[in-house]
Amino acid sequence: MLNGVLKSVQLVGSASRARLCSAPTELVGGISFKLSEEQQSLQELARKFTADEILPVAAQYDVSGEYPWPVIRKAHSLGLMNLSLPKWLGGLELGVFDECLATEEFSFGCSGIQTAILGNGLGASPLLMFGTKEQQKEYLGRLIDEPLMCAYAVTEPGAGSDVAGIKTTAVRKGDDWVINGQKMWITNGGVANWYFVLARSDPDPKTPAGKAFTGFVVDRDTPGVNPGRKEDNLGQRASDTRGITFEDVVVPAKNVLGTPGMGFKIAMGAFDKTRAPVGAGAVGIAKRALHEATQYAMQRKTMGVPIAQHQAVAFLLADMAIGLETARLAVWRAAYEADCGRRNTYYASVAKAFASDVANKSASDAVQVFGGNGYNKEYPVEKLMRDAKIFQIYEGTSQIQRLIISRELLAAAMSVKS
Amino acid sequence: YIHIINKADMAASKGLKILVGCKRVIDYAVKVRVKPDRSGVVTEGVKHSMNPFDEIAVEEAVRMKEKKLAGEAVAISVGPPQSQETLRTALAMGIDRAIHVEIPLAQLEKLQPIHVSKLLAKVCESEKPDLVILGKQAIDDDCNQTGQMLAALLDWPQATFASKIEPSQDSKQLRVTREVDGGLETIDVSVPAVVTSDLRLNEPRYATLPNIMKAKKKPLAKMSPDQLGVDLQPRQEVISVEDPPVRKAGAKVESVEDLVGKLREKGLVK
């Protein structure tokens, strides 16, 4: 495989993440591309798990749409879930980079199952960053003890990119809050044990977004929480996406994250940790597309030779490789910045935007290499095309990513004296 | 994390002490290629991993620990610096500590089971295990000799091709079920003994991620053949290594009469 000559990134950074900045080898100046021994072990375990547990069942889950509980349970038992949870809770306290390594491997097998396995990352992020020790112990501790899922419930039927436009309300009632509203497209919506929910706590439309919302942790079994039917989506069909209705859901004050009014900042903060892993998921699809297309091109013969020997086909593979190598490095840079303790918004958006485009093009080109066979469900590549599309939509659309990137670069440009 | 053993490690107060051999070999999934000069196979840049039969041996040792039949399990590997990775895998699966007998690169290609068994025998003199479990053979050379030679050097009983290991009826020996050509043979062996693992002995576990992280802290000691006083002079010389001959195409026949006719033509049947 072309990635056999891959150079890997070694993190060299601030003392705040000393574990990741352990003595690097293959240092050239200040940069190394070598994974640490621990990272290599994680990658190997994730790769082995994918080959043994995900690849054999991916097609079947894609058809049935059933939630891949057996795979989830196995991943949980091996310690492959909830990688970033802190040691004091019993977690491995691994970084964003390690999360990306595992995500890419799982996604190679099936990005739907990968989204299910690592979907906990998004739900847990707000608690990790802003939760009290009690809240973390209660809700994150649960995830470690058992293979439970959680979900991040912000998007609504009427507001996706426009987070500030969400209409779910949270009204104070004594010491409690009462939540009313409708969420939509919530990953793990039907299987979650608890949700991070963003609701508008200040009804005054003139209040700025930075003060008008509050983040809550809501138990699934709270009366009034009603997940809808599992949505029938184009791709990542093993993942569970639903609408959720909140009807007079009473949430105690101790389930408020941070302070009332802080919700918007909390919800957005989560993305800095999760965009790079989502990019890694897209990289996994790109890698799979290249792998399948290469294998097929070496076997399929036309005009008397394997089609890999026709330049038109070989060039399609070359372009997939160009995309794969660069998307992966972009994801790694974004993860590295986060693990060094820096605000990585610019790099995270670049990585996610680019990787999702690469995944889509690679998957489409893989179908092209397979020709008529590629269009058919007996071959694995049409699934890649269907799975890839969502990467340009969720976790911030490609358009929103470009908005973020342009704002960041213009802000940087304006701060320099010309 | 490497340190040199300078005193005998305390054996567990109860249960057998097990020594498990692990060999670093080319991964089973790799398409092996012969070097252009036909002196051997290409190993540079090729994926290596623990010999599958050794994984089974490691798994058995860990299971015996879990069943409280064994107290301490030690892994040993004879090989290049990278054999450490193989030992870390064993540690991650549940082995307590590891020993690496490092072989200099120049002598690596000429290393044979006779040398390895002598090195293991020397280590057994100091470690004094009750049971040595080795993979029945390595998938690179398919020798199937090290276990047998080791038992002979130590003058210990051997139970090769084990598909089951359990205490004997009186719990004073080990009852080993062996896979032989005629079926299964069950024998009782007294300890200390050498057992070699066969395919159906068990199915090795994944090392969990937390155990992989913990393995870094488990002791890994380094030794050299000189320290052990073993001479690595090769006894064999490899003259050439070649690909197996390309399989010739067969021919399909329509009926049994055709088949017999063709066999007669080739003089294979009268």
Side-chain angles (χ1 to χ4, degrees), chain A residues 84-379:
Chain A
S84 56
L85 294 189
K87 285 198 179 130
W88 70 267
L89 273 174
L92 291 171
E93 210 167 302
L94 298 182
V96 178
F97 192 93
D98 303 301
E99 191 107 19
C100 289
L101 285 178
T103 305
E104 184 187 323
E105 297 300 324
F106 297 150
S107 192
F108 179 93
C110 173
S111 59
I113 295 182
Q114 166 263 312
T115 298
I117 293 178
L118 282 126
N120 276 5
L122 186 55
S125 232
L127 265 108
L128 266 177
M129 292 168 67
F130 298 94
T132 62
K133 285 274 189 292
E134 290 75 31
Q135 290 169 329
Q136 289 178 350
K137 185 155 206 317
E138 176 63 47
Y139 290 100
L140 299 180
R142 272 185 220 179
L143 302 180
I144 298 203
D145 294 337
E146 292 172 64
L148 296 176
M149 312 308 289
C150 64
Y152 176 95
V154 169
T155 299
E156 297 181 356
S161 298
D162 182 19
V163 175
I166 62 165
K167 299 252 179 302
T168 300
T169 55
V171 176
R172 237 210 164 112
K173 212 170 174 182
D175 278 338
D176 299 330
W177 293 79
V178 181
I179 299 179
N180 272 288
Q182 174 87 31
K183 296 294 180 187
M184 190 57 182
W185 307 124
I186 308 306
T187 301
N188 283 339
V191 298
N193 176 266
W194 53 265
Y195 306 96
F196 165 75
V197 181
L198 188 70
R200 191 171 185 110
S201 43
D202 187 327
D204 183 353
K206 293 208 209 74
T207 312
K211 297 206 176 105
F213 300 93
T214 303
F216 300 88
V217 182
V218 180
D219 279 286
R220 162 77 180 85
D221 57 10
T222 315
V225 176
N226 282 313
R229 61 148 192 243
K230 182 181 154 126
E231 292 297 331
D232 189 14
N233 291 332
L234 172 68
Q236 291 201 4
R237 294 171 52 78
S239 175
D240 180 287
T241 1
R242 303 192 192 225
I244 309 180
T245 312
F246 292 83
E247 208 177 337
D248 292 330
V249 175
V250 178
V251 176
K254 67 177 171 69
N255 279 31
V256 169
L257 273 184
T259 54
M262 236 182 117
F264 192 82
K265 175 177 169 187
I266 295 177
M268 294 297 106
F271 289 135
D272 278 354
K273 300 276 179 183
T274 55
R275 261 177 197 152
V278 171
V283 171
I285 288 191
K287 182 176 167 188
R288 179 77 185 275
L290 175 57
H291 173 77
E292 296 292 343
T294 306
Q295 297 297 310
Y296 186 84
M298 294 197 297
Q299 311 262 350
R300 173 81 176 183
K301 282 188 164 155
T302 60
M303 280 52 115
V305 295
I307 62 174
Q309 290 185 25
H310 300 311
Q311 275 187 341
V313 173
F315 283 13
L316 283 174
L317 301 179
D319 281 326
M320 280 190 232
I322 293 173
L324 173 61
E325 296 294 334
T326 48
R328 183 183 285 130
L329 291 178
V331 166
W332 282 8
R333 179 64 191 272
Y336 162 88
E337 292 291 322
D339 288 334
C340 283
R342 293 192 283 269
R343 183 175 167 272
N344 74 339
T345 310
Y346 169 78
Y347 290 101
S349 287
V350 165
K352 199 260 180 188
F354 185 59
S356 55
D357 286 351
V358 165
N360 274 277
K361 179 160 204 301
S362 298
S364 177
D365 285 348
V367 172
Q368 192 69 19
V369 169
F370 274 66
N373 286 341
Y375 203 67
N376 181 276
K377 280 181 182 285
E378 297 278 313
Y379 295 83

Side-chain angles (χ1 to χ4, degrees), chain B residues 19-23 50 54 57-58 74-77 120 132-135:
Chain B
L19 184 68
V20 186
C22 313
K23 186 180 180 187
M50 193 190 299
D54 300 346
V58 169
V74 183
I76 181 165
S77 188
L120 292 179
V132 179
I133 313 182
L134 305 179

Side-chain angles (χ1 to χ4, degrees), chain A residues 61-79:
Chain A
Y61 280 109
D62 179 57
V63 168
S64 72
E66 259 184 273
Y67 198 71
W69 279 115
V71 182
I72 301 257
R73 285 190 198 111
K74 197 83 207 264
H76 189 271
S77 73
L78 295 178

